[in-house]
Amino acid sequence: MPRPPSRNYALLSTAAVVSQLGSQGALIASAFAVLSAGGSAGGVGLVATARTLPMVLFVLVGGALADRVPRHRVMVAANALNCVSQGAFGALVLLGHAQLWHMAVLSALGGTGQALFGPASEGMLMSSVETERAGRAFAVFRMAVNGATIGGAALGGALVAWLGPGWVLVVDSASFLVAGALRSFLDLSHVPPRAPGGGVFADLRDGWREFVSRPWLWSVVGQFSVVNAVAVAGEAVYGPLVARDHYGGAGPWGAANAAFGAGTVLGALAMAKWQPRRMLLAGTLGVFPFALPLMALAVPVSAAVLAAAMFVAGASVEVFGVGWMTALQQEIPEEKLSRVSSYDWLGSLALVPVATALAGPAQGAFGRGAALWGAAGCVVLLTAAVLCVPDVRRIARREAGAPARGGLPAVPGPAASADAEGPVGRAG
């Protein structure tokens, strides 16, 4: 296959930074838009569910589509949809006409755009780097994006407190416009022509066979179907409520999210230098700290301690994220990356609408603290269970000249077993 153009990697990185700057603030703004309109925990959960449900429904179609047509076209179309939906959301909030059903419908449109975008984006990024450089390239990419997370979360929280959520949503709309324009210049000349297939359903069946044939793949995705669900419920529903009741509003919650972003930058920087041979083992060990923010919100601790917990969790996300992306890029054939990624997205998001919808009722039935402690326990127990899967512990990084993607996992020999191994919106 021709050498992937470095220009693609630069364009993808720049576009991701731009959209992340807007989206981080929008995550805070959408929750506080509901609260400002007189909504409750149930309303915040409804809007969050409205966004995630279309992602579950359409992500498989997005994956099959991205392996049949040029991926950058799918990405640009998805960005256009997000631009329009977020712009309308912001305008309604600014005009004072936003009702709960308006916010839910527009959030659903945004979720549809993300369902189409996610698998195409993941496949495009993985095909833009060479296997032997994948780990460092993914770490640098994530470091750039996570740097934007810091600025986006801090600025978003400040702007919500200062100007209100409407302007933050308008900024997010503009960021999608710029990012989509950048992605329209991506070059797909290095990607081999796709062989004619039997249709979308045939492609999905093929992707499913690839997915279920790898225990490490479906076990981690199954783990994150719960981990992501409880983490999103904590971030999208309980976090803003704790911030309102104990920290005085959006500012401290935005600062905590910025601390999470700072942790991801540090974690990505570390992963750019540290390339663990058993990347899945290292990544899975890095999932345990995901429980720390949930525990901090359950107490609740001081705003400073919450920020520290978010920082540690952010660093751990990168240990997992880089290892996971490297394993997918190494083990999955290029022409099936988006299809397999769509099953990853589906499994990782399937329970998110359920968790966000039930977050409010769970708080009423058990109390907010008990619900958060239960969520943290799920993270710890499921991560321990995944460590029991042999391939998670054995799959190792291939050296240059090793078998191409899609071959059997590389199992470390005695010398590799002596290597020092140390210790994640989706498994990836």
Side-chain angles (χ1 to χ4, degrees):
M1 186 175 76
R3 184 185 181 91
S6 59
R7 177 172 170 273
N8 278 1
Y9 179 80
L11 283 170
L12 287 166
S13 299
T14 304
V17 166
V18 170
S19 60
Q20 188 75 352
L21 280 169
S23 296
Q24 279 301 303
L27 289 174
I28 302 171
S30 61
F32 280 91
V34 176
L35 295 175
S36 298
S40 62
V44 174
L46 175 63
V47 171
T49 302
R51 179 172 179 80
T52 52
L53 185 58
M55 294 170 68
V56 174
L57 295 176
F58 299 119
V59 70
L60 291 183
V61 175
L65 186 64
D67 278 340
R68 295 179 67 84
V69 301
R71 289 174 178 143
H72 69 309
R73 294 182 183 174
V74 179
M75 296 165 69
V76 171
N79 285 166
L81 179 57
N82 284 122
C83 174
V84 173
S85 62
Q86 290 295 82
F89 195 163
L92 286 173
V93 172
L94 288 173
L95 294 172
H97 299 319
Q99 299 180 26
L100 186 60
W101 74 268
H102 292 148
M103 294 185 275
V105 169
L106 291 169
S107 292
L109 289 176
T112 302
Q114 187 60 41
L116 299 176
F117 176 84
S121 174
E122 193 159 301
M124 191 74 206
L125 176 63
M126 291 181 184
S127 68
S128 72
V129 299
E130 296 174 310
T131 301
E132 59 269 23
R133 297 186 178 91
R136 286 186 174 86
F138 295 150
V140 171
F141 174 86
R142 292 174 70 98
M143 182 167 56
V145 171
N146 294 330
T149 300
I150 300 174
L155 182 61
L159 286 177
V160 168
W162 181 34
L163 299 175
W167 285 112
V168 180
L169 293 165
V170 170
V171 169
D172 188 34
S173 173
S175 74
F176 279 115
L177 178 64
V178 175
L182 290 170
R183 287 162 177 146
S184 68
F185 292 104
L186 290 168
D187 176 17
L188 271 69
S189 61
H190 69 288
V191 178
R194 308 301 189 200
V200 171
F201 290 108
D203 287 348
L204 291 177
R205 285 195 299 270
D206 193 26
W208 176 251
R209 286 192 293 268
E210 290 284 341
F211 178 79
V212 298
S213 68
R214 293 170 168 81
W216 63 269
L217 181 57
W218 55 257
S219 63
V220 173
V221 171
Q223 169 199 15
F224 270 82
S225 67
V226 176
V227 170
N228 279 338
V230 298
V232 171
E235 177 184 353
V237 181
Y238 294 134
L241 293 172
V242 173
R244 181 191 65 184
D245 295 343
H246 295 278
Y247 302 134
W253 181 235
N257 278 276
F260 180 90
T264 62
V265 171
L266 179 65
L269 180 61
M271 293 303 292
K273 297 179 178 298
W274 177 50
Q275 299 290 296
R277 180 169 173 78
R278 299 183 213 172
M279 59 277 203
L280 276 181
L281 175 60
T284 302
L285 290 172
V287 178
F288 284 111
F290 285 27
L292 292 177
L294 297 169
M295 296 176 180
L297 290 170
V299 173
V301 298
S302 68
V305 175
L306 172 63
M310 295 281 277
F311 180 87
V312 173
S316 300
V317 163
E318 295 310 301
V319 177
F320 172 78
V322 173
W324 179 249
M325 292 177 71
T326 305
L328 287 176
Q329 201 263 3
Q330 174 178 286
E331 301 295 328
I332 307 299
E334 190 280 333
E335 69 275 8
K336 298 179 182 179
L337 276 171
S338 290
R339 271 170 284 176
V340 171
S341 293
S342 70
Y343 283 103
D344 174 9
W345 278 78
L346 176 64
S348 299
L349 294 172
L351 295 181
V352 170
V354 177
T356 53
L358 293 180
Q363 174 178 289
F366 307 110
R368 188 186 302 160
L372 283 162
W373 280 115
C378 288
V379 173
V380 173
L381 292 175
L382 286 170
T383 303
V386 166
L387 287 173
C388 298
V389 178
D391 283 348
V392 170
R393 302 192 305 272
R394 297 187 313 179
I395 286 180
R397 187 183 308 278
R398 293 199 186 99
E399 303 299 332
R405 289 188 191 122
L408 293 175
V411 180
S417 65
D419 291 345
E421 299 292 345
V424 115
R426 279 200 349 80

